[in-house]
Amino acid sequence: MRIAALLCILACSESAWAYDSRPGDALVELRSGLSGNSLELGQMLHEHWRGSVLLTHSWGTVRVPVGLGLMAGYEGHRRGYALLPRARFGLAMALLHDGGLGLVAQSDVGLLWNVVRGVGLGCSVGAQVWGGSLMPEASLSLVTRW
């Protein structure tokens, strides 16, 4: 029984190391961090580049400022290593803390650990700009692909 469990763990870790994103892969990413959370629905456009629709939310106030926009991302990890594993930049039109409309910009770089080919856990650091307010960002993400 222990040998079967060990073989299963090794097989799962091998599939994680062998993961390469392919053009056409769909992507869903849930992210939660210091300044808010976001949902990203996207697709791999090239083996390194993805495009997504971004729904974002800020923790900054009792009111619920939300934004909807587009995101472009880079994935450089191959077989579990890369100098720049992931990066992303998003722009969204958003409700701001004062109730007006404004622009939200998000940018971060991070790491992603693939548990199996379709699911990954990661962490990122970067910044968000809600209207005129710059906020540092550190977040955890759960990514699924198919």
Side-chain angles (χ1 to χ4, degrees):
M1 187 65 163
R2 290 181 184 169
I3 292 173
L6 179 62
L7 290 175
C8 181
I9 290 170
L10 290 175
C12 289
S13 66
E14 182 59 28
S15 67
W17 284 70
Y19 174 75
D20 288 329
S21 52
R22 299 178 304 230
D25 281 357
L27 172 127
V28 175
E29 182 168 352
L30 297 169
R31 181 181 299 257
S32 184
L34 297 175
S35 58
N37 50 26
S38 63
L39 171 65
E40 181 183 319
L41 305 171
Q43 187 166 21
M44 294 302 296
L45 304 173
H46 183 269
E47 66 181 33
H48 291 291
W49 297 96
R50 69 185 190 273
S52 303
V53 173
L54 177 69
L55 178 63
T56 188
H57 164 259
S58 174
W59 302 118
T61 183
V62 175
R63 300 167 88 184
V64 183
V66 293
L68 179 64
L70 299 175
M71 195 280 311
Y74 170 80
E75 300 213 8
H77 54 85
R78 291 290 174 265
R79 300 194 183 278
Y81 61 88
L83 291 176
L84 181 62
R86 302 185 89 213
R88 73 181 198 137
F89 181 76
L91 284 175
M93 182 60 87
L95 293 173
L96 301 176
H97 300 289
D98 62 3
L101 285 177
L103 189 65
V104 174
Q106 298 178 343
S107 180
D108 58 53
V109 297
L111 301 171
L112 179 72
W113 297 280
N114 290 294
V115 178
V116 294
R117 189 219 176 277
V119 179
L121 303 171
C123 63
S124 299
V125 293
Q128 290 189 14
V129 177
W130 281 81
S133 303
L134 176 65
M135 296 178 276
E137 176 70 325
S139 61
L140 297 174
S141 60
L142 173 65
V143 180
T144 184
R145 306 164 204 263
W146 61 93

